[in-house]
Amino acid sequence: MPALPIDQEFDCERFRADVRATAAAIGAPIAHRLIDTVLETFRDNFAQSATLWKTTSQPGDQLSYRFFSRLKMDTVSRAIDAGLLDAAHPTLPIVDAWSGLYGGAPVQSGDFDAGRGMVKTWLYFGGLRPAEDILSVPALPAPVQARLKDFLALGLAHIRFAAVDWRHHSANVYFRGQGPLDTVQFARIHALSGSTPPAADVVEEVLAYMPEDYCVAITLDLHSGDIERVCFYALKVPKDALPRIPARIARFLEVAPSHDPEECNVIGWSFGRSGDYVKAERSYTGNMAEILSGWNCFFHGEEGRDHDLRALHQDTGSTTGVAR
């Protein structure tokens, strides 16, 4: 793999200064010793992966950072060895099961809070995968597996990513849905969260930023199978084309530095029983746009039509409960 240009490389000392300044600017907590442990434990990952920032519009929420990995590595074992993750965590068998799918093809990435350390483990499954494969592994409790029928009834039949939240014992499952997303389909998906329907102008704005075949993440409690949140994502939104965003998100996008050749900003609209909020992610180093493009993600302003997905829907449309 060719080396990154020197100004795009991940530099630990520069990162320490950047995370300190960014956390202070948005009023987020920071734990320097934990950050040092993370940087030492995943030195290779940060050097070879794309690193990005994340926060939400919730006051005082964490400043998060993560790497999207170019390396095939057991990051969970590394986290356990470093004391960042409990070796007896009850969710470990689920991550092991997902990591073993497709001959061990899934790639693990890591997600951390500046003030709390290890938060999530991400898995990229290598492309479009049947939801049945992901949500029917024996390690998942029966109430979680039972949710499959609800997703298939909405035409959400293919998953590309999952992220396990170690603190909340939940998982974010990222579907690619065949669009274009309209108000009816938005309402059907939103209803899964059990939250109050958003105002019409909010829905219109979300729809305006979705690619034709859209990404929606659904957060599942890994014990009860309850759906906690749904979130719709717009990727690589230029600063001069941003939707309406809360002041904390605007401040974050203003102050969080990016050393990437292409600035990559992500906006997510998250809806749940506990309240709605906006997420934002921002590239830092390692060429986030290149990795997302390699993972067949669709960027703002692109057509965003997944022809493989459409072919699969034609083949399986009679069993998904959707005629779109």
Side-chain angles (χ1 to χ4, degrees):
M1 180 182 301
L4 294 168
I6 191 167
D7 63 331
Q8 297 167 27
E9 290 179 354
F10 185 90
D11 179 275
C12 287
E13 289 310 311
R14 180 175 64 179
F15 178 77
R16 289 184 178 94
D18 287 344
V19 72
R20 182 168 56 248
T22 304
I26 66 171
I30 189 167
H32 297 286
R33 289 186 180 179
L34 272 175
I35 291 171
D36 289 344
T37 300
V38 170
L39 295 181
E40 180 60 32
T41 302
F42 298 104
R43 179 180 298 274
D44 295 342
N45 299 88
F46 284 107
Q48 296 294 326
S49 305
T51 303
L52 56 147
W53 308 105
K54 190 207 85 173
T55 196
T56 77
S57 58
Q58 299 176 102
D61 200 8
Q62 293 281 330
L63 171 65
S64 301
Y65 57 100
R66 70 171 65 127
F67 59 80
F68 282 157
S69 189
R70 290 185 174 92
L71 303 177
K72 186 73 173 60
M73 183 183 294
D74 184 353
T75 62
V76 172
S77 293
R78 284 200 173 199
I80 291 171
D81 291 344
L84 294 166
L85 185 60
D86 184 357
H89 197 289
T91 305
L92 281 169
I94 297 171
V95 177
D96 288 343
W98 281 345
S99 297
L101 291 173
Y102 313 114
V107 176
Q108 295 180 1
S109 296
D111 204 330
F112 313 90
D113 282 343
R116 296 184 301 199
M118 187 87 178
V119 180
K120 295 179 182 177
T121 293
W122 283 68
L123 297 107
Y124 171 56
F125 293 111
L128 286 173
R129 302 295 191 180
E132 293 94 332
D133 291 357
I134 311 301
L135 295 177
S136 298
V137 296
L140 285 171
V144 179
Q145 295 191 44
R147 282 293 180 184
L148 176 62
K149 65 181 185 304
D150 301 323
F151 304 140
L152 294 180
L154 294 173
L156 300 178
H158 294 91
I159 294 170
R160 302 175 64 249
F161 305 90
V164 169
D165 187 317
W166 299 106
R167 285 195 174 83
H168 296 109
H169 298 248
S170 63
N172 302 330
V173 182
Y174 292 75
F175 293 89
R176 174 162 285 169
Q178 182 180 329
L181 185 64
D182 58 22
T183 55
V184 173
Q185 180 70 348
F186 175 92
R188 295 175 73 204
I189 295 173
H190 178 275
L192 294 173
S193 71
S195 64
T196 302
D201 61 334
V202 173
V203 177
E204 289 175 5
E205 189 160 49
V206 173
L207 299 184
Y209 276 81
M210 291 299 99
E212 183 162 347
D213 293 334
Y214 55 92
C215 173
V216 59
I218 296 177
T219 303
L220 290 160
D221 184 294
L222 286 174
H223 298 299
S224 67
D226 290 344
I227 295 174
E228 299 177 350
R229 312 195 68 79
V230 301
C231 186
F232 297 88
Y233 286 92
L235 306 184
K236 202 181 178 191
V237 183
K239 280 189 175 179
D240 62 1
L242 289 168
R244 294 171 301 169
I245 50 176
R248 191 172 193 267
I249 296 298
R251 178 65 173 157
F252 164 72
L253 293 175
E254 174 188 353
V255 302
S258 177
H259 306 291
D260 259 2
E262 297 180 82
E263 184 178 284
C264 189
N265 302 309
V266 176
I267 302 296
W269 291 266
S270 183
F271 305 97
R273 288 180 177 84
S274 60
D276 302 341
Y277 54 80
V278 175
K279 297 180 181 180
E281 301 172 8
R282 179 164 166 78
S283 57
Y284 181 63
T285 58
N287 205 334
M288 175 179 168
E290 179 187 73
I291 282 190
L292 293 181
S293 180
W295 289 351
N296 193 31
C297 294
F298 298 143
F299 297 147
H300 178 71
E302 297 178 344
E303 176 190 58
R305 178 176 291 186
D306 190 326
H307 298 284
D308 291 338
L309 176 70
R310 289 163 182 268
L312 288 166
H313 269 254
Q314 286 178 357
D315 292 341
T316 61
S318 62
T319 62
T320 60
V322 171
R324 293 178 62 82

